[in-house]
Amino acid sequence: MSDGVEQGDYFVIRALENGVQVIGMTRGTETKFHHSEKLDKGEIMIAQFTEHTSAMKIRGKVELYTKHGTITPLE
Ligand code: TRP
């Protein structure tokens, strides 16, 4: 890929409860869900923004680590 999206940022998600969903959304003119991954409590996912994935939606209680900082659950 010449535009470098395969070198996209990584992020790490740690599920703090069962049934967390990590939903990948497509890159390009149409923004659609393309993959949903289920994590249970304690499971960790490391993933990347790619040629196919430009956005992510996360449902559930997680700790999220990105180069922009760490996001922890609200009280
Ligand atoms: N096949 C997807 C891709 O290469 C896999 C993927 C990468 C993904 N990052 C993701 C799926 C984040 C869900 C969430 O883009």
Side-chain angles (χ1 to χ4, degrees), residues 18-22 36-40 43:
N18 290 334
V20 165
Q21 277 184 285
V22 182
S36 176
E37 191 67 30
K38 188 170 150 275
L39 302 181
D40 284 331
E43 288 186 323

Side-chain angles (χ1 to χ4, degrees), residues 16 27 31 68 74:
L16 300 179
R27 187 175 296 281
T31 306
H68 306 289
L74 296 171

Side-chain angles (χ1 to χ4, degrees), residues 9 11 13 22-25 34-37 45-57:
D9 291 345
F11 54 89
I13 299 165
V22 182
I23 301 161
M25 302 174 80
H34 69 73
H35 184 86
S36 176
E37 191 67 30
M45 180 172 171
I46 179 164
Q48 193 181 20
F49 289 100
T50 70
E51 176 187 359
H52 303 293
T53 305
S54 66
M56 228 83 59
K57 176 170 175 171

Side-chain angles (χ1 to χ4, degrees), residues 53-67:
T53 305
S54 66
M56 228 83 59
K57 176 170 175 171
I58 299 169
R59 287 195 182 126
K61 205 172 172 190
V62 301
E63 283 173 350
L64 176 65
Y65 300 85
T66 77
K67 77 171 186 188

